[in-house]
Every structure is written in C-alpha cells, then in structure tokens.
Amino acid sequence: MTRLFLAIDLGAESGRAVLGRYAEGRLSLEQIHRFPNVLLPLNGRLYWDFYGLLSEVNRSLSLCAASGASGLESLAVDTWGVDFGLLARDGTLLG
C-alpha cells in the first residue's frame, strides 16, 4: 500500500508543492507545482497576497489529484516563521 503526503512550502519569493509517496519502506518525492509569491505594496509596506497563495494551494491540490494521487493521508503547509495572518472569530482575514 502506498501512503500519500502533500507538503506545501510558502517562501519569500516562491512556493512549491511536493508529493511524498511512501511504500515498501521507501519515500519518493515529486514536485507537483511551483509558483511565484508576489508581494503587494500597501501603505509603504509589503504584504503577501494571501488570496493568491490560497488559490495556488488549491491549484496544487487539483494538480495532485490530476496526477493520480488521490486519498492524501496528510497535508502540511509551512511558511517563514515571521509571517502570520490575523483572523476574526468567524475566520475572516483581517490583515
């Protein structure tokens, strides 16, 4: 049985989705999708385009499924340690 894992890394300049397949004691990795992380200037500061990144994460999931990898056991998303989003109680992105 092959176990499937998807890791999405959001870096300062780009993001990528890597599919891990674990079978018979071996792990293989395949880059499924790579995309730019475009910063948006606002009031003299730079911000990550959260909705653009969310769209690329969703595209990564679609590309993963299209590659025949369905039934992911886990999905992980990591970012640089100082990035964050502020959410309202209802999950709405505040900033």
Side-chain angles (χ1 to χ4, degrees), residues 26-83:
R26 297 185 68 103
L27 176 65
S28 65
L29 301 174
E30 175 188 0
Q31 183 173 285
I32 296 291
H33 184 42
R34 189 168 194 96
F35 49 91
N37 184 0
V38 179
L39 298 176
L40 302 176
L42 179 64
N43 296 326
R45 300 181 113 175
L46 293 174
Y47 292 87
W48 280 19
D49 178 2
F50 178 82
Y51 295 105
L53 290 172
L54 182 59
S55 175
E56 294 294 351
V57 168
N58 286 332
R59 183 157 188 248
S60 297
L61 288 167
S62 295
L63 291 168
C64 187
S67 76
S70 61
L72 290 176
E73 190 163 325
S74 97
L75 165 69
V77 178
D78 76 276
T79 68
W80 192 233
V82 296
D83 300 312

